Amino acid sequence: MSRLPARLSVLTLGARDLPALRRFYRGLGWEEAPGSDDAWAGFLLGGVLLALYPLDDLAAESAPGAPRPAPGWSGVTLACNLDRREDVDAAFRAAVDAGALPVAEPTDREWGGRSAYVADPEGNRWELAWARTARFDARGALIGFGEADAGP
């Protein structure tokens, strides 16, 4: 192989309290990957695996010698794009009901879509968004985004 493929397969969150974070994501109704337990957990989300791994173990592998990150927002957001504008409000309510911290209420954005933000129990930010140009396959995987992909 002479190049890095353009794909995202796994997104791993370093967890300070993996059992609590695992309960939160299960509380959203997300199905765990086989082999998940309180030492590692995974959730298949439309073609990308969201993995939960103990923060200290992840740091030892991916950032040896680096200081442990402070709790709270890391400067990274994860997004769940939705099929319809009104789905943003329903998803926001469902996430908060499951224990997410409301960060930004659903609102229409200047870019033409609608979104809201919540934080999981460890402060990881999730954007719940609708964008007119987002297209999904039957699994919910994003297959197009932007004006060129908007279709009729």
Side-chain angles (χ1 to χ4, degrees):
M1 174 181 287
S2 61
R3 64 178 182 87
L4 179 66
R7 72 173 68 126
L8 177 63
S9 307
V10 179
L11 189 146
T12 303
L13 297 176
R16 288 175 168 72
D17 183 348
L18 198 145
L21 205 54
R22 181 178 176 218
R23 279 190 304 277
F24 169 74
Y25 286 108
R26 282 195 325 241
L28 292 174
W30 294 359
E31 186 177 335
E32 284 186 291
S36 292
D37 58 27
D38 283 344
W40 172 92
F43 300 85
L44 188 58
L45 308 177
V48 174
L49 182 74
L50 174 66
L52 309 178
Y53 197 65
L55 178 60
D56 290 335
D57 295 341
L58 182 61
E61 285 183 21
S62 64
R68 187 176 195 207
W73 186 48
S74 65
V76 173
T77 62
L78 310 169
C80 176
N81 277 72
L82 303 157
D83 295 318
R84 301 172 312 171
R85 176 182 296 275
E86 58 270 18
D87 292 344
V88 173
D89 298 68
F92 179 81
R93 285 190 303 276
V96 171
D97 288 350
L101 175 70
V103 173
E105 297 282 329
T107 188
D108 292 332
R109 302 291 180 184
E110 67 280 352
W111 45 265
R114 183 168 181 79
S115 75
Y117 286 88
V118 296
D120 74 13
E122 294 202 2
N124 298 297
R125 298 304 202 265
W126 280 87
E127 181 184 23
L128 310 173
W130 170 80
R132 181 182 53 79
T133 61
R135 293 186 303 122
F136 306 94
D137 68 12
R139 296 180 310 162
L142 188 66
I143 57 171
F145 196 88
E147 291 300 324
D149 296 321

